[in-house]
Amino acid sequence: LKVLSHIDSILRSPRAPPLIYRRSKGSVQNYIKENGQECGFEHLPLTIEMWADQLLALKDLHRSLRKLSLELVPWHTADPQDNREFIRVEDLQFTVDAILEEIENKEKNSQTPSLPTLLAIVSHFQKLFDVNSLNGVYPRMNEVYTKLGEMTNAMRNLHELLELDSSAPPTVVVDTVGKLCDIINENVTEQVQQLLGTQDIHSIINKLEEHDCFFPPFQALIQDLLCLLEIRNLDDILPTVRNLK
């Protein structure tokens, strides 16, 4: 009777699973019949058998979770209580939490490229910049970075000099420089025409031909005078001739 009272108190406990708690219609004494064959707990053997099966399955589940944990989080040390006889739900929950934490960390770090991706990137860089070996990748990277910096600075200076917006593409910069060169060339042509006093290209050619005809004899004459007068500077020719008179 004392044992039955103890079982009854466990079954009536708020912590008792609903599966084993069944409200009785009287006290424990009313459960006992004179023949002793019925005591009100007929459903418990099946429940206890089910629990025994679940406890065995719980150990198998724990073993499977440990295998999964070793695959996902191999750096976690093995549980020294893996081989104990009884496995608690807390042990399973700890393993599941560790696996979930690892999965969450992998999702957060999903932007980190894998080794095949990194190898593909290096190979693509070698093809783009004609690098034959891995040892040449870093020097070529530095060279490309330096050239890119120089080009960026040059384009920035051109934008400022040409008073272009910083967002203007390189094609606009090239077109603007080309137009500026055309304007400069036109101005130079006009200045040459004004200097020679003619707007006719044929007249310019004639003047250049006259220069070619006149200048060599004139140069020879001046050289002879310098030798005869024993002087070196052109400015001394006239004073020396006046003295001879």
Side-chain angles (χ1 to χ4, degrees):
L1 182 60
K2 184 177 181 180
V3 175
L4 295 178
S5 299
H6 184 63
I7 294 176
D8 186 66
S9 64
I10 293 175
L11 297 181
R12 292 176 179 273
S13 171
R15 297 179 60 187
L19 181 62
I20 67 172
Y21 177 70
R22 293 184 182 180
R23 180 177 293 276
S24 63
K25 297 181 180 179
S27 62
V28 175
Q29 289 79 2
N30 293 332
Y31 291 165
I32 303 174
K33 295 187 178 181
E34 294 180 356
N35 56 12
Q37 293 181 355
E38 293 188 19
C39 59
F41 303 112
E42 295 85 357
H43 65 287
L44 288 183
L46 295 177
T47 302
I48 293 174
E49 288 179 2
M50 181 190 68
W51 285 355
D53 293 337
Q54 293 299 313
L55 288 175
L56 292 176
L58 197 65
K59 194 169 185 178
D60 293 337
L61 177 60
H62 183 261
R63 188 180 301 108
S64 299
L65 286 176
R66 285 300 303 165
K67 291 181 180 179
L68 180 61
S69 177
L70 290 175
E71 290 291 334
L72 296 178
V73 284
W75 50 87
H76 282 193
T77 56
D79 188 352
Q81 299 179 348
D82 276 351
N83 297 323
R84 68 185 181 181
E85 184 178 358
F86 300 104
I87 301 298
R88 300 177 304 175
V89 175
E90 291 84 350
D91 300 328
L92 302 180
Q93 188 63 50
F94 176 79
T95 304
V96 171
D97 290 343
I99 294 174
L100 290 176
E101 182 179 358
E102 177 63 19
I103 293 175
E104 291 176 357
N105 291 336
K106 283 187 176 180
E107 290 178 351
K108 292 179 181 179
N109 299 327
S110 59
Q111 297 301 322
T112 303
S114 61
L115 180 58
T117 302
L118 294 176
L119 292 175
I121 292 173
V122 173
S123 177
H124 187 62
F125 180 88
Q126 289 182 263
K127 291 180 181 179
L128 288 178
F129 298 100
D130 297 327
V131 182
N132 297 325
S133 64
L134 290 177
N135 293 332
V137 170
Y138 280 112
R140 186 56 59 87
M141 281 184 175
N142 294 333
E143 181 182 352
V144 171
Y145 178 79
T146 301
K147 295 296 184 182
L148 178 61
E150 293 175 354
M151 185 191 70
T152 302
N153 291 333
M155 291 299 295
R156 185 185 301 111
N157 293 334
L158 286 174
H159 279 90
E160 294 177 357
L161 291 174
L162 299 174
E163 297 181 354
L164 296 174
D165 188 81
S166 59
S167 61
T171 53
V172 175
V173 176
V174 173
D175 292 340
T176 305
V177 172
K179 293 178 181 178
L180 183 61
C181 290
D182 293 339
I183 293 174
I184 293 174
N185 291 333
E186 291 177 359
N187 291 337
V188 170
T189 302
E190 291 178 358
Q191 292 176 2
V192 171
Q193 291 175 348
Q194 293 176 1
L195 178 63
L196 298 176
T198 178
Q199 302 294 325
D200 187 3
I201 188 63
H202 295 291
S203 299
I204 296 175
I205 294 174
N206 293 333
K207 288 184 178 295
L208 292 175
E209 291 176 349
E210 291 175 359
H211 175 271
D212 290 339
C213 293
F214 169 78
F215 186 74
F218 176 77
Q219 184 180 18
L221 175 62
I222 294 300
Q223 291 293 335
D224 292 340
L225 285 174
L226 292 175
C227 291
L228 290 173
L229 299 175
E230 297 180 350
I231 57 178
R232 295 181 178 180
N233 297 323
L234 293 176
D235 296 337
D236 296 334
I237 292 177
L238 289 179
T240 302
V241 172
R242 288 192 184 99
N243 292 333
L244 292 175
K245 292 174 62 178

